[in-house]
Amino acid sequence: PAPPQPSQSESTNDDDDDSTDDESPKGQEKLKARSVKAKALADAAYKHGDYPKAVTQYSMAIRMDRQNYVLFSNRSAAHCANANWEKALEDAERCIKLAPKWGKGYG
């Protein structure tokens, strides 16, 4: 037997789908928005001296926006505040690799 076909009332339009396909523009927008939210939480945590939370939130933001060199720079600073020098250096090096002309990556 053939699989059932969607009825006229069932939507087959992918634009109505709420799932995030990382490759689609809509999926990229959703990931970017989530990254911005995570960065805002990380910035607030850093400002209040909650460096472990800042690292966690920057890490979440990075998972959703792996090419954002600012996130690596900020997480590097949070690692420094936690005296986690090796991880701070790794993030600084990643930042520099992504944006070699951005001076803050070297500081």
Side-chain angles (χ1 to χ4, degrees), residues 17-70:
D17 188 7
D18 258 352
S19 66
T20 53
D21 176 5
D22 293 353
E23 300 299 318
S24 74
K26 189 175 181 181
Q28 289 296 320
E29 288 175 28
K30 286 182 180 183
L31 286 176
K32 179 76 170 174
R34 290 178 184 165
S35 178
V36 168
K37 285 182 183 180
K39 181 185 182 298
L41 292 171
D43 291 344
Y46 187 91
K47 182 178 178 181
H48 289 96
D50 190 350
Y51 305 118
K53 182 176 180 178
V55 167
T56 299
Q57 291 297 325
Y58 286 128
S59 296
M60 290 176 67
I62 287 168
R63 279 188 217 113
M64 295 174 264
D65 190 359
R66 295 188 182 276
Q67 300 303 309
N68 188 333
Y69 56 90
V70 174

Side-chain angles (χ1 to χ4, degrees), residues 64-82:
M64 295 174 264
D65 190 359
R66 295 188 182 276
Q67 300 303 309
N68 188 333
Y69 56 90
V70 174
L71 296 174
F72 286 97
S73 175
N74 291 359
R75 188 172 70 175
S76 176
H79 280 307
C80 280
N82 282 326

Side-chain angles (χ1 to χ4, degrees), residues 15 30-31 52 64 66 69 86 95-96 99 101-102:
D15 290 340
K30 286 182 180 183
L31 286 176
M64 295 174 264
R66 295 188 182 276
Y69 56 90
E86 288 181 24
C95 174
I96 292 166
K101 294 183 179 181
W102 192 56

